[in-house]
Structure formats: C-alpha cells, structure tokens
Amino acid sequence: MLTDFPGCSAGSIVSPCYLSACQGENMAGLMAAFGCYTHAIVRGVPTSLAKEALRTGQAEVDSSKAQREHDAYVHVLRSTLGLEIVELPADETLPDCVFVEDAAVVCGDTALITRPGAESRRRETEAVKGALKELNLNIVEMADENATLDGGDVLFTGREFFVGLSKRTNQRGAEILADAFKDYAVSTVPVLEGLHLKSFCSMGGPGLIVIGSSEPAQKALKIMQQMSDHRYDKLTVPDDLAANCIYMNLPNKGQVLLHCPREEYPESAKVFEKLKDHMLVPVSNSEKVKVDGALTCCSVLINKKANN
Amino acid sequence: MTTEAGSETEVKEKEEKPAAGLDQSERATAESQEAAAAEGDAEKEKDGKGISRYLPTWFKKQKSQGQTSPTEEAPSPEKPGGDPEEVPEVNGHAEEVEEREAVGPLRGQVAEKEAERQSDASADTEPAGEEKVVGGAEVAGEGGAGEKEEDEAEERAPAGDGQPSIFQSPLRLVRRSKMKLVVCHVTLLDGSDFACEVEKRAKGLFLFFKVCEHLNLLEKDYFGLTFTDHHEQKCWLDPTKEIKRQIRSNNWQFAFNVKFYPPDPSLLTEDITRYLLCLQLREDVASGRLPCSFVTHALLGSYTLQAEIGDYEPDQPRPLDYISQLTFAPNQSKEMEEKILELHKSHKGMTPAQADAQFLENAKKLSMYGVDLHHAKDSEGVDIMLGVCANGLLVYKDRLRINRFAWPKILKISYKRNNFYIKIRPGETEQFESTVGFKLQNHRSAKRLWKVCVENHSFFRLNAPEPPTTPRFLTLGSKFRYSGRTQTQTRLASTLIDRPAPAFERTSSKRVSRSLDGAPMISITEASRDATENGHEPHLDLHSDSKVKEADPSPGRVEAAPAQSPVRVRVDNIYVRHSNLMLEDHDKTQDEVLKHQASVSELKRSFMEAPPASPPQPNLWEKRLSSSPAAATRAQRPAAVPEKEEEAAAAAAENCDAKEVSKTTEVEIEETVVVREISAKAVVPEVPGQEAEEGAGLAQKKKKMKQRDSVSSESESDEEAEYQPNVPVSISRTQIPEEEEEQEKPPEEEVSPPARSENQADEKKEAEEPTATPGDAPNGPAQRQEADARPLAPPHQDHAPKVNGEAAAVDTRPQVICCSQPPVVKTEMVTISDTFAAQKTEIATKEVPIVHTETKTITYEAAQLDGSGDGEPGVLMTAQTITSESLCTTTTTHITKTLKGGLSETRIEKRIVITGDCDIDHDEALAQAIKEAKEQHPDMSVTRVVVHKETELAEEED
C-alpha cells in the first residue's frame, strides 16, 4: 500500500514474478493479463521514407535495407509469434506511415485514433482507423483541433497510462486519452529530450519498465514512479534507443521480448540477454531508427480474444 | 465563576507580559487533572483485552455511558433502535458525563464512574483493575458510587425525566426537562430511508451506531454519516461531537456512506460489509463519481444483476425492460444494457456474495476507486482537483494526474484560511523540504480537505490513531484528529468477529431514482484546456528555496510556466516567498510563540508607527476567491462592500471624518458550544475580554482585511491547522499543524482578535521574527505615499503587495496591506505567521450579568495619519465581552476608515459571539446586540446584519 519508491539501483536487473501467460483471458475484466495480443497492424514502408520522413537526425537512410528490416519484423510477428497480421499498404504521400503506432492507441477493446502532432502525418490515421474498425474495436476519435497525440508518447503499463508531453503530444491530447480509457489513471510526463516518451523507455514485462540511462530518461522514470500508485521495477539499458522493446505474453510462447540486436547496441543487448524468463527475439532496426522509428513504432498490437 | 473569569483575564494579560501568574498555576492544575484523566484512559487502553484495546477512547466512553447505548458489540439484538424511550435517556446521560468531564474537579469522579460502569458492563469492557488506576489518579472516591447509582437511575427513568442530583446544577435540570427528541432520517446505501429518534444533544457516534445496528453491520469503521451543510457541501458527521452543532440547521437528514474504501475488499471479514461497499460503489459508478469505461460498466453491471437477481433466466420475458430501469452508468445505452445481459449470462451459478466479490475485485482496480476529490486551484489559479486516497494525495488537472504525493512523502499537512499546504519530504537529490500550496474555494473547503487528509492518513497509514493532542498552554485551534479505529485495528478487530454470517436481503438498489449528489467530478473546462495546451502543467507552489530545485529535477511537473505576463510572474514569485515565510512560521516552536506574545507590545508600537503589510498570499487568494462565484463565504460578504473603501486605521466612530460615506455594522451571532458552557460553569463565567488590537495598517484594500477578519471569526472556520502525522512505522513522520478553530475556543481562550500587520518591506523579516520591529515601520510611510498616489488600487495590486513586501511596494502599485488576524490565539499556530500570534492584545473585562464588560478602543497613530495622508488604511479592533450566567457574548469590533479621493468612509464591523449555557433566545440576543451597536455609534446606521448560528462544537478537550 505504501508506495514509496526508494528507487531501484541503476542497472540492476530485476526479475519480478510474472503472471502466467494470458491468465484471465476469458474474462473481460479490468486489467486483463498484460501483454496478451492476438493481432498486429503494420504498414508497408514507402520509398519516400528515405528522403521525406521526418527526422531529428541527419543520417542517410538506406531504403532497401529499411524495407528488409521491416519485412523481418513482420515475419517475427507473424511466423515466430503467431499473431494475425493486418498489413496496410504503404502510402507514398505519407513518408512516415510505417510508424502505425503513432496513429492509434489500443487498450482492451477501445481504440483511440490519435491526432498526430506532425501536420504531415495526420492522414496516416485514416487507414489505421479502417483496420481497427474491421477488427470491431470501439473507435474513439480525437476531434479536438487543439489536441495532438502521438501513440509513441503513450506508455501503457498494464495498470495505467503515462503520456509524454512532447513536441508531438500536448495536454489536451492526453486529456482525451484519459477520457477514452476511464478505467485507468493517466499521468503526464514531460519529455525533454528525444522525440517521444517511448524513445527511451518501454515495458519489459508487467511491472517492469525498461529505461535508457540518459539523464532525461532517468528523470522521466522518477516522475513516473512518483506518480504511480503501483510499484515498477526498472531495467536500465545503456542506450536510450535500445530501451524501446516489445513485450508480449503469448499463449504457448510465454513471455516474449523483441529487443535490439547486439550489432546495434551491444551493451544494451547484453542487458536484455540476462533476462532469463523471457523468450528473447533480437530484431534489427538500424534504418528506421534514423528517422526516429523504434521497434514499438511499427505495429499496433491488439488483443481480440479478450474482447469477445 | 467570577474567579475564573479573572484568571482568564490574567492569562490574556500575561500574553503581553509573560510573567507567570496565578493563572498559570491554575492552568497547570487544570492541565494536570486533564492529564490524569488522559492517563486513566491510556491505562485503560493498556489494560484492555481483546477488542477493547482497539477501541478508540470515545468508543469506550460511549459504551460506558450507558449499557443501553446501541453498540453492536454489546450483544443486545433485541434492543432495537426503535425504542424511543431508550434513546433520549442514553443521550441525556452521555451528555451529562461529558459535561462533568469538562468540569475539571469532577473529572476524576467521572472517570471512576466510567470505570465502574465499564466493569459491570458487558462483554468487551475493561477489567475492573482500571478502576484503581483511575481512582488513584484522581481525586474523589466519594462521588463515584453515588454518581453511578444516579446514572443508572437515570437510565431507568423514563425519557425526559431529570433526576435531581447533587451534581446537577439547577440549570441543567431545567435544560433536561427541555430535552427533546429529534427524528433523524438517514438515507441508507440502498436508497431507503431509516428514521430514528435521538436526543437533541446526541453525538454523531450515537446516531452512527444506531444506523449500524439497524444494518447489522460490525465492520463499521469504513463507514460514516454525511450531511449537507448550508453551502450544499457534503460533510462527514463527526462522531465525537454533538449532531446538532454540526448540522447547523434543523435539517436532521443524513446519509450513510463509505468513508474509507478498503483497498482490498477481499480482506473484509463479512459479506454484509462487502455488500454495503458494493452498494456504495454502484452508486458511485452510476453517478459518474467513479468513472469507468464502457466494458467495465457492463461488467460491473452484470455482477450487480447476478448479485441482485441471481442467475440469468433465459425464459424471462424481455429482460431489457427491467434492466433499463436500473441505472448502471451515467449515460446508459441500450448497447450497454445488452452487453450487461450478455455478461450476466456468463455468471450463471455465482452466488450473490461471489458476485459482489467479483464486482469489488474489478471496481478496486479503477484508478479513481476510493479517491475523494476536492476542487482546488494551483498557485496560478488553474483549476485542479485534489484527490485524497489510501495512498496519499493525488493532483489532477481535468482527468490527468499531474502529481502525486504518497503519504510517506508528506511531512506535514496544514491549512490556513482557504489555503491548503503540504510539506514534502526532500527527494534523494534534494536538500530541502518543499511545501506545496493549493487554494481552495474557501476556508471551509480547506478545512474539510485537511480533515479528510488527516483521517485518511490516520486510517490507512497509522497503526493506531494519534492520541488526542494533550492540552497545551494556550493552545488554540482545532485539535481534530481521526477518532476511530485505523484500518489495521479494524482488520484485527474483524478477525475477532464471531457470529454466523448475518442474513441480509439484497434489495435491488434504488439507484434508479437516486439523485446524484454533487460529488465533484473531474470536468474538463475549456478555459483550462487552453491554458495548458502546450504541455504546460499547472504549477505548484513551492517554497522558494526548493522551487528552483524542484523545477529542475522534474521539469514537467513542478513547473513550466512558459510565457507569462510579467505581472503574473511576479505574483508567482511573491507567492512562493510568502509560503516560505509561512513555513518558517510553521516550524516555530512553542517557545518562539511565547516570545512572540511577549513582544506584542512591541508590535503594537510598530503598528502605530507604520502601516502593516499584509501577508501576500492570503490576499492573493482571497482576491481570487472573491472574484470567483464559487466563493460564497460569509467571509466574503463583508468584503464586498468595502471594496472601494480605503482603510484608515480606525479609530472609533468618533474618529470618523465628516465625510462618511457609508457605515456598516455587522453583527454576527454565533451560538457556540456545549463544551464551552461546561467549562464556563466549572470555571465560572469568565469574561474574556478581548480587545483588540491593533490598528493596523492600512490597506487600500480593506476588503482583504475584512475578509480576513471575518474569516477568522467564523466559527467554523478554523483558519488554520496543521497535522504532522507520526507514523510509528518508519519513515514517515508527518506533522499536522492545525489551524485554530477560533470560534471554538474563543470564549475560553480569550481570543483576542489579533490584528496583524506586516510590513511590506520586511515581510520576510517579520516572518522570521514575529515581532514587527520599528525598523519595519519606515516602509510604511513609503507605502502610504504610494497609496495616496493611487488611491484606487485595482484588485491585481493585491497580489503584488502581498508577497514581497519591498518589491511590491516599489512596484508602483499602491499596496496597502492590512492584515487583521483572526481573533484566535494560536500557540500552535506558530506555524503560521507569527504576526498573528504576536499581535493579539487582550483586554478583558468581566462583569456580571449582561453587563458590558469593557470596550477598548485603540487608536493607532497610523490610523490617524490617514487623516493627514490621503488614504491610509488603519484597522482598529476592539473586543468586548458581555457575560451573564446564561449568556456569554464576545464582541469583536473592527473599525475601518478609508479615505478615497477625499471621501472618508468609516466602516464598523462587529462580530458578536454569543455562547449559551442553555437555550438562548437568539432573536433577543441579536436585538440586544444591534441595540447596543446603535447606542455605541449613534451617528452610524446599521447597514447589514449577518447572523450566523454556529452549531459546531468548539471543544477544547478533544
């Protein structure tokens, strides 16, 4: 009850007790098992990505390599993990369209269609919304023209939401998210550096936050810990970008973690490799990361079973 | 009686010249007696076995008072609450005991009597051994037996039949014969109405127990009774105080509600408790107070159906018909009803108890479960909500959580007027404690929030409630503490419940027709939206030291005041500094307080020399408040008028200039407390003469002054209180500063209306040193000049002045600040601004029946200066007390003279507190008060009379 966070020691690896896979799956109840997914929405990589996608860095993007990496990513989701993939075609006029995460936030059977902070990305939501409708999710749209929200700023921990207030997401956007998911606490976290909140953190399991070691990242973590009634363990990785990984809890697979490979972030990969309870799946993302695309950015994960 | 009065007076004087006198010794005696009694209690607790150990003292008392009192623990099922005869008797008895306690010398006897009674009382009472303890500690063994007999006799006697006893004064006899029964209506959680009669003077606990008995509820610590006050606010009925004094009108209407939502309902022992919790939650959900998603609404609804009507019947005709008669959600759609039915089908075979348990398992996960929301504003005036819950304090803006303070992080909770403060333990990287301040709608809201925090903290975080604060010398202020069992205790007690699960009927709740009460719901306001659009979060006031730091570590949260107008910024700064000051004050020790008192005279001098600066913050807040419609406090009323006036230190009416624009006489009458009367008797009528003091500075904005004054005198309003929770456990030690409840104590403590003035120039200094030094004075003139230059200061200006004295002054805005302090003397208050404490002056006169005791008018030079200068506000306060056997009146007069553009206005506000021994004819008292007011100021007219009957207890003990 007393949730005081003395702070976990940096870099320590914690292995909390995880729930067994997808327990309570048949219950439409609140806070059904975290990480259970059945479907994933992905979108093709437009060739315009290399030149026109928004980016904070300067690096040149190898378009064909980006394509290969993305194919591998989708392959993992489909074949390795057995998710049903809804693949939307790329739209050349939307260079950032591969990053579908920013277009929608799905939790339970509700999908909030966002209003991306970047003007050029607003139309990305149309196709995603269509796909979500197809999946019979309750669609909530962000009609307010003053609101902006990128899915990349939304961290759902299983018990609550943290919304990064960043260049792309504002308070109003966060409020609308809170309205859409009334069961959960929605706390705001300032994002001082990096594009999105999830540019330096993500969930590594129920109650486990993977966090980069940069100062802004650590600061953000502190805020999240302070704001929460729940206790979170943290897994600190040396590289902020490597802190973006994908956790799933799948039937027959158990806990799965898609994370950066050694080639890209050797030190961080080592940290992941110490996780014993997870099925570790390194997925490379060297090209998309140049346009600020992380692992979570490239899919919208949905749990359909829980909703039917 | 007279003697006592004398001593009181002395005490007051002593404040000025701290020479310990007789009175002190008297006090000491009284204290020792109380202490003895307290010890007795403590002993009892130690000696107690089983459940009784966990019973709060008041609980025991209640039991001891009468075997007939309806407690569930007392196995007397056949004792229905319905017996009207019983009720009155019990109550009457209880009251008596209480009164006797108040009577110092008799206290021991009472205690002994209690002990005896307990020993012969049933089940869970203490061993007889305690008797010795108490007796030993106390005086008279003689009265013990006799009294007990008497009590028993009374119990047996029919209602209203007062038995003469040597211990009863004739007065009381009279009263007794007047005792009336009142019918209370309690709305239960299923929407039904429970009516029962209680004696008019029954305490909250009595009614609560009757309700619990009616409900057959044992785990009752999670629940409480609420009533709606005059301001349409839902308040918790204090079990330790008389009902009549809390409800404030003759509206004996209550509601039975969950007060503490157990974080894990599965740990409750009995199904009936869970059922009641479910009923509350269903109402919470249906009303929107507990927001949840569509799916959750449907799921909770389906469990409700399962619990209330059992398995889904496939052949039931048109299930949608009945389902739509039930309210499950604020905006319930057909779609939702269908979903509910669909889910209901899946619960087949589930027992009602299981369905309730499932309901609770889901409900408890909702983020707003058990969060008690209060409207507030941050330092920038941005609307936020403060949520008090089991884990701590949550801060919301619209629906977003923008901050959270876990109990372990909170060192101190306090409120002062309409400000609510929490002192935060420094983080790992921080060196200093910080204080966060919020502005509530009014002081009542602040106090209510503070109380809720104190109670929640105690209930969820402490192992045992904090012992009532021991009476300290000259301690004022509310000593409110949580009086019930803590969660730990109640859980333990629950394990001892040994009865077959009570049968109870799950009635289909009447949620349909229930009106949603005005629980605060988070609403999104457009205005605030805009303000915060760019990720700008509301900024919390921090203590200046830490503010910078805070801003650093958690940039987002603490602050991000992007582009603000210069003015705004300045205000912020000011505010911060001010709070800093207050903090310092808070930290003062008692010694310091005394010192302050000693220096009162010095203060006076300084007042005369210079216009006091007012503490910035309150003004700021007040101003905002006044501008907000929501703030409809009594306090504000007076302010409205004066707005245009400038204040001049007032002299009496005589001083009024020829050009008097308006005169206002305000009369407030408050009826006060029982406790007080008791003490009065014991002590004898004392006449606290309060006098007032200070002329203060001026204020262009008289309004502030007035507001403040009135606030202070409001009975209910305690202006400030602190709470520093001590958690035995470990880390957390929280202090709870309390504000004083002025009204509660005024009579006894001799509240003198302290007027306080602060120099703008050296606010800080003042804060550190309560006494205003002459040096400060110099600033006064400067101010005045400024003031003169701009006689009409716009409201904004208030901000500036308040905060940084000097800066403000420089600011160009004429800020005058007069602060008058609440008439309460707080020792504890120290926390608050010293000025207040220091400044009181008291003058007491006592006289016998309805005689005008003494009116003291102090005219300060500053005030006079007004005349010479253009507009110098001055405040003069006088207090007079009229005492008679049955009537005790305390009058506080504030006279303000304002010069505006050549016109001078004199305004006199009188606050008269009438404390009654017995039923007073208020109309007559009021008439008398008005008459007197007119006589005193023949050349003025009464423009406004505010009558406030205060029912709240101002207990000293407690």
Side-chain angles (χ1 to χ4, degrees):
Chain A
M1 296 269 28
L2 309 179
T3 37
D4 194 13
F5 297 100
C8 323
S9 54
S12 72
I13 294 178
V14 208
S15 22
C17 282
Y18 295 115
L19 302 173
S20 58
C22 289
Q23 70 177 4
E25 191 180 327
N26 54 351
M27 235 186 56
L30 224 39
M31 329 268 171
F34 177 60
C36 293
Y37 301 111
T38 56
H39 292 64
I41 295 176
V42 297
R43 197 165 190 178
V45 183
T47 52
S48 55
L49 176 130
K51 296 266 187 275
E52 296 168 38
L54 301 173
R55 68 202 76 192
T56 54
Q58 307 293 328
E60 232 171 70
V61 178
D62 178 337
S63 194
S64 62
K65 188 176 178 196
Q67 186 65 55
R68 282 198 304 278
E69 283 178 354
H70 186 68
D71 291 344
Y73 176 89
V74 175
H75 177 79
V76 165
L77 295 181
R78 178 184 285 130
S79 307
T80 314
L81 302 179
L83 299 184
E84 288 210 23
I85 304 297
V86 177
E87 190 154 14
L88 302 174
D91 183 336
E92 290 300 329
T93 64
L94 297 170
D96 292 295
C97 70
V98 65
F99 305 122
V100 288
E101 175 188 52
D102 292 323
V105 177
V106 178
C107 179
D109 63 352
T110 301
L112 172 67
I113 308 303
T114 67
R115 190 167 178 278
E119 183 96 40
S120 64
R121 300 192 59 191
R122 300 265 159 86
R123 284 194 304 117
E124 289 178 25
T125 58
E126 294 166 11
V128 175
K129 181 170 86 179
L132 291 168
K133 266 189 181 157
E134 287 284 301
L135 291 169
N136 280 324
L137 294 176
N138 301 323
I139 306 292
V140 179
E141 297 198 61
M142 202 171 269
D144 192 327
E145 301 213 331
N146 293 318
T148 62
L149 179 83
D150 274 14
D153 278 316
V154 179
L155 179 67
F156 178 63
T157 69
R159 294 302 303 268
E160 64 190 315
F161 285 96
F162 292 106
V163 178
L165 296 178
S166 66
K167 299 178 189 75
R168 301 279 179 85
T169 299
N170 64 23
Q171 180 103 4
R172 183 65 192 128
E175 283 167 17
I176 293 174
L177 180 128
D179 266 339
F181 304 103
K182 292 197 178 72
D183 293 349
Y184 302 97
V186 178
S187 306
T188 53
V189 183
V191 175
L192 304 175
E193 274 179 39
L195 182 64
H196 286 140
L197 176 64
K198 283 195 280 188
S199 296
F200 52 77
C201 68
S202 64
M203 294 307 291
L208 177 65
I209 295 176
V210 181
I211 187 79
S213 53
S214 73
E215 197 181 315
Q218 292 293 320
K219 224 178 252 179
L221 177 69
K222 277 222 166 61
I223 290 172
M224 291 191 278
Q225 288 175 329
Q226 187 199 322
M227 300 274 253
S228 177
D229 292 324
H230 308 289
R231 192 187 172 104
Y232 294 104
D233 292 315
K234 71 172 178 182
L235 176 64
T236 303
V237 296
D239 310 284
D240 277 5
L241 290 172
N244 184 294
C245 58
I246 300 175
Y247 168 82
M248 294 186 217
N249 187 356
L250 303 175
N252 309 321
K253 300 277 188 307
Q255 308 199 66
V256 179
L257 199 64
L258 275 58
H259 63 88
C260 61
R262 281 193 171 206
E263 305 78 63
E264 292 171 26
Y265 300 103
E267 294 306 315
S268 295
K270 269 186 213 161
V271 175
F272 285 117
E273 283 161 12
K274 288 180 190 159
L275 291 174
K276 299 298 177 214
D277 300 326
H278 292 64
M279 164 181 166
L280 297 171
V281 185
V283 178
S284 46
N285 189 39
S286 62
E287 294 307 310
K288 281 179 288 188
V289 81
K290 293 174 184 168
V291 288
D292 305 308
L295 289 178
T296 60
C297 296
C298 305
S299 58
V300 173
L301 301 174
I302 297 148
N303 185 15
K304 274 302 288 177
K305 266 189 219 156
N307 311 318
N308 289 337
Chain B
M1 310 257 300
T2 340
T3 321
E4 181 63 15
S7 71
E8 288 289 346
T9 307
E10 285 177 17
V11 173
K12 290 178 184 175
E13 286 172 2
K14 184 176 127 207
E15 286 182 16
E16 291 189 52
K17 333 161 196 171
L22 275 181
D23 46 276
Q24 219 177 16
S25 63
E26 277 187 26
R27 285 230 171 212
T29 312
E31 268 188 292
S32 68
Q33 285 171 357
E34 288 205 358
E39 268 180 24
D41 279 355
E43 286 294 329
K44 281 186 221 161
E45 288 219 356
K46 277 178 215 155
D47 293 350
K49 300 213 165 112
I51 285 187
S52 62
R53 194 181 329 158
Y54 300 97
L55 299 177
T57 46
W58 50 260
F59 183 88
K60 288 181 195 164
K61 257 183 215 159
Q62 173 78 12
K63 277 168 45 180
S64 69
Q65 283 162 8
Q67 294 156 347
T68 52
S69 86
T71 69
E72 311 136 341
E73 267 89 354
S76 52
E78 70 279 316
K79 196 172 293 170
D83 184 353
E85 298 287 314
E86 223 173 72
V87 178
E89 286 183 26
V90 174
N91 284 335
H93 177 65
E95 187 190 353
E96 258 182 36
V97 172
E98 202 189 333
E99 290 179 6
R100 282 191 204 116
E101 280 181 3
V103 182
L106 291 183
R107 215 180 151 125
Q109 294 174 0
V110 175
E112 187 171 327
K113 177 190 76 189
E114 272 186 34
E116 284 184 18
R117 300 175 128 269
Q118 281 184 346
S119 64
D120 35 69
S122 52
D124 37 2
T125 52
E126 275 74 313
E130 64 181 314
E131 208 177 334
K132 288 178 213 150
V133 177
V134 178
E138 231 345 313
V139 192
E142 37 133 329
E147 217 177 337
K148 177 182 159 194
E149 274 180 22
E150 165 200 333
D151 289 337
E152 282 170 357
E154 277 182 17
E155 280 177 25
R156 281 179 226 119
D161 175 16
Q163 292 249 345
S165 94
I166 40 168
F167 294 99
Q168 284 183 326
S169 72
L171 229 161
R172 189 180 295 142
L173 271 179
V174 174
R175 222 186 314 147
R176 226 178 137 63
S177 63
K178 276 194 202 164
M179 255 174 218
K180 293 176 214 150
L181 293 184
V182 189
V183 178
C184 295
H185 291 276
V186 182
T187 305
L188 302 179
L189 288 167
D190 63 1
S192 64
D193 182 75
F194 168 68
C196 69
E197 285 184 307
V198 301
E199 195 271 315
K200 213 176 172 187
R201 290 180 178 271
K203 292 195 168 186
L205 185 66
F206 181 81
L207 178 60
F208 179 65
F209 276 13
K210 293 215 59 125
V211 176
C212 291
E213 187 184 50
H214 170 76
L215 293 169
N216 202 9
L217 172 67
L218 289 192
E219 294 175 286
K220 52 184 173 301
D221 300 286
Y222 301 96
F223 302 86
L225 293 176
T226 59
F227 62 94
T228 305
D229 71 8
H230 282 171
H231 308 273
E232 298 302 312
Q233 288 286 346
K234 202 180 82 168
C235 302
W236 290 107
L237 189 67
D238 188 329
T240 64
K241 294 182 180 178
E242 284 185 25
I243 299 169
K244 183 167 70 102
R245 310 243 171 230
Q246 301 180 58
I247 55 176
R248 295 184 157 215
S249 61
N250 251 350
N251 183 18
W252 294 70
Q253 184 76 46
F254 307 90
F256 179 79
N257 288 113
V258 172
K259 187 172 191 180
F260 304 111
Y261 289 75
D264 190 352
S266 66
L267 296 181
L268 294 174
T269 300
E270 297 199 299
D271 285 341
I272 191 171
T273 316
R274 264 187 290 274
Y275 167 64
L276 292 172
L277 177 58
C278 278
L279 289 179
Q280 174 75 66
L281 287 165
R282 282 166 196 161
E283 168 65 16
D284 291 346
V285 167
S287 67
R289 224 174 358 232
L290 179 56
C292 49
S293 67
F294 177 89
V295 185
T296 304
H297 272 306
L299 184 69
L300 295 179
S302 68
Y303 286 126
T304 301
L305 280 188
Q306 184 67 26
E308 291 182 352
I309 67 175
D311 288 352
Y312 175 78
E313 301 280 347
D315 47 345
Q316 192 163 8
R318 322 207 28 176
L320 278 180
D321 288 350
Y322 72 79
I323 206 184
S324 50
Q325 317 235 324
L326 298 172
T327 308
F328 298 98
N331 34 19
Q332 182 171 323
S333 60
K334 270 278 168 270
E335 190 190 0
M336 182 178 292
E337 288 165 9
E338 282 163 13
K339 184 79 177 170
I340 289 172
L341 280 181
E342 179 192 326
L343 290 168
H344 181 203
K345 291 176 198 166
S346 68
H347 303 324
K348 199 158 189 162
M350 201 178 271
T351 66
Q354 287 171 332
D356 279 348
Q358 283 303 314
F359 178 96
L360 294 175
E361 279 309 293
N362 284 280
K364 76 174 187 191
K365 293 175 185 164
L366 294 167
S367 79
M368 298 306 286
Y369 172 84
V371 178
D372 183 16
L373 290 177
H374 298 252
H375 287 285
K377 288 182 193 298
D378 67 5
S379 65
E380 294 178 342
V382 176
D383 287 312
I384 56 170
M385 299 287 274
L386 294 176
V388 184
C389 66
N391 291 328
L393 189 65
L394 302 166
V395 186
Y396 295 92
K397 169 148 180 1
D398 298 320
R399 287 200 182 282
L400 299 176
R401 184 184 292 183
I402 57 173
N403 212 337
R404 173 180 173 272
F405 304 98
W407 292 130
K409 287 283 281 182
I410 299 178
L411 291 169
K412 185 155 83 175
I413 310 164
S414 59
Y415 74 98
K416 181 178 180 181
R417 298 195 189 90
N418 63 326
N419 299 317
F420 175 77
Y421 302 99
I422 53 175
K423 189 188 229 176
I424 309 298
R425 182 184 306 283
E428 302 163 35
T429 58
E430 299 153 337
Q431 273 182 301
F432 301 99
E433 294 163 345
S434 53
T435 291
V436 184
F438 302 96
K439 184 181 298 183
L440 279 287
Q441 276 178 356
N442 51 49
H443 69 279
R444 273 179 290 105
S445 312
K447 181 182 178 184
R448 192 168 50 241
L449 172 58
W450 177 80
K451 279 184 163 182
V452 168
C453 283
V454 169
E455 294 193 313
N456 274 271
H457 176 270
S458 299
F459 185 80
F460 291 111
R461 176 119 180 112
L462 300 183
N463 289 324
E466 281 198 317
T469 51
T470 49
R472 272 173 272 177
F473 176 64
L474 279 184
T475 297
L476 286 180
S478 123
K479 296 177 191 97
F480 175 82
R481 291 294 182 272
Y482 176 59
S483 56
R485 291 191 279 212
T486 64
Q487 180 173 240
T488 310
Q489 289 173 326
T490 195
R491 278 182 182 165
L492 214 98
S494 296
T495 62
L496 302 178
I497 291 177
D498 183 22
R499 68 170 181 183
F504 60 93
E505 191 181 345
R506 284 180 169 82
T507 55
S508 178
S509 42
K510 287 101 185 165
R511 291 185 301 282
V512 198
S513 55
R514 287 181 75 175
S515 64
L516 318 177
D517 42 279
M521 287 190 270
I522 299 186
S523 58
I524 300 178
T525 54
E526 294 294 336
S528 51
R529 251 176 231 166
D530 296 339
T532 55
E533 211 167 3
N534 302 322
H536 163 29
E537 301 188 9
H539 139 265
L540 305 179
D541 293 322
L542 298 171
H543 172 345
S544 61
D545 288 346
S546 55
K547 178 173 182 172
V548 178
K549 282 163 205 153
E550 280 268 350
D552 241 0
S554 44
R557 118 158 358 103
V558 176
E559 160 9 305
Q564 286 190 340
S565 69
V567 174
R568 199 81 191 274
V569 171
R570 187 184 58 219
V571 172
D572 288 346
N573 291 340
I574 292 173
Y575 176 76
V576 170
R577 194 188 292 181
H578 178 76
S579 63
N580 192 1
L581 290 182
M582 291 181 62
L583 276 183
E584 289 168 358
D585 289 349
H586 285 273
D587 293 335
K588 288 188 180 172
T589 64
Q590 196 128 357
D591 286 348
E592 286 172 319
V593 175
L594 290 176
K595 237 190 272 162
H596 296 178
Q597 289 173 348
S599 57
V600 168
S601 52
E602 217 180 323
L603 266 181
K604 267 189 184 170
R605 230 180 295 134
S606 67
F607 285 161
M608 291 168 57
E609 291 169 359
S614 67
Q617 187 153 21
N619 290 340
L620 175 60
W621 292 109
E622 279 166 12
K623 166 190 146 193
R624 283 186 189 160
L625 255 189
S626 60
S627 60
S628 90
T633 329
R634 230 183 317 154
Q636 296 180 328
R637 276 186 232 144
V641 178
E643 205 151 346
K644 320 158 192 169
E645 319 174 12
E646 294 181 350
E647 303 205 86
E654 315 105 289
N655 293 334
C656 310
D657 286 349
K659 330 153 188 175
E660 293 182 354
V661 177
S662 69
K663 305 169 187 180
T664 309
T665 303
E666 204 165 275
V667 181
E668 287 208 6
I669 300 191
E670 306 185 11
E671 183 189 349
T672 31
V673 190
V674 177
V675 177
R676 221 184 270 165
E677 19 173 29
I678 302 168
S679 58
K681 280 183 199 165
V683 179
V684 174
E686 61 207 50
V687 180
Q690 327 223 347
E691 264 316 10
E693 8 278 49
E694 52 179 30
L698 24 108
Q700 271 197 343
K701 306 248 155 168
K702 178 187 229 169
K703 160 207 232 166
K704 298 173 183 178
M705 294 186 50
K706 291 230 165 134
Q707 283 186 348
R708 208 172 275 162
D709 292 352
S710 53
V711 171
S712 58
S713 7
E714 287 191 4
S715 52
E716 236 200 351
S717 42
D718 316 4
E719 301 207 322
E720 344 175 303
E722 297 186 353
Y723 170 80
Q724 296 187 322
N726 272 333
V727 179
V729 182
S730 61
I731 312 175
S732 44
R733 282 220 145 193
T734 321
Q735 301 177 339
I736 316 182
E738 304 197 2
E739 166 179 7
E740 347 163 326
E741 311 206 341
E742 315 178 19
Q743 308 257 2
E744 302 194 356
K745 315 208 158 180
E748 304 169 5
E749 303 255 357
E750 334 174 24
V751 178
S752 53
R756 88 165 25 183
S757 61
E758 302 179 0
N759 289 339
Q760 292 184 346
D762 291 0
E763 271 201 14
K764 255 195 189 165
K765 226 197 216 166
E766 274 199 14
E768 287 156 18
E769 303 193 330
T771 359
T773 54
D776 295 343
N779 296 329
Q783 251 194 352
R784 272 179 226 142
Q785 290 177 356
E786 280 194 14
D788 294 349
R790 329 183 177 186
L792 297 181
H796 318 325
Q797 298 178 355
D798 294 326
H799 298 289
K802 313 171 172 183
V803 193
N804 340 350
E806 292 232 324
V810 176
D811 258 352
T812 73
R813 312 258 177 153
Q815 343 272 7
V816 178
I817 303 175
C818 291
C819 317
S820 49
Q821 274 253 300
V824 179
V825 179
K826 304 178 171 188
T827 343
E828 291 197 4
M829 283 295 287
V830 181
T831 16
I832 304 183
S833 38
D834 331 338
T835 9
F836 295 104
Q839 305 187 355
K840 322 164 176 184
T841 313
E842 318 181 24
I843 302 177
T845 316
K846 64 151 168 214
E847 298 199 8
V848 196
I850 313 192
V851 178
H852 205 29
T853 318
E854 186 180 312
T855 310
K856 206 179 187 177
T857 305
I858 302 176
T859 308
Y860 292 101
E861 282 301 322
Q864 308 284 8
L865 290 182
D866 307 343
S868 62
D870 284 357
E872 294 176 359
V875 181
L876 172 67
M877 299 166 65
T878 48
Q880 56 185 95
T881 306
I882 303 174
T883 317
S884 68
E885 285 190 352
S886 58
L887 186 65
C888 179
T889 309
T890 305
T891 306
T892 307
T893 307
H894 298 274
I895 302 178
T896 16
K897 192 163 117 185
T898 320
L899 250 196
K900 246 191 193 175
L903 285 187
S904 97
E905 285 184 355
T906 300
R907 185 181 149 96
I908 300 180
E909 280 185 37
K910 288 197 171 222
R911 185 173 304 273
I912 301 173
V913 179
I914 299 176
T915 310
D917 232 353
C918 56
D919 293 336
I920 301 176
D921 182 339
H922 293 281
D923 292 340
E924 195 186 330
L926 175 60
Q928 177 70 19
I930 295 175
K931 190 175 146 215
E932 281 177 16
K934 282 183 178 167
E935 284 172 0
Q936 288 170 28
H937 312 289
D939 52 342
M940 298 182 79
S941 57
V942 176
T943 59
R944 161 185 251 164
V945 177
V946 178
V947 180
H948 178 66
K949 285 191 186 178
E950 187 51 37
T951 350
E952 173 147 12
L953 286 188
E955 311 190 1
E956 279 249 326
E957 56 200 81
D958 152 10

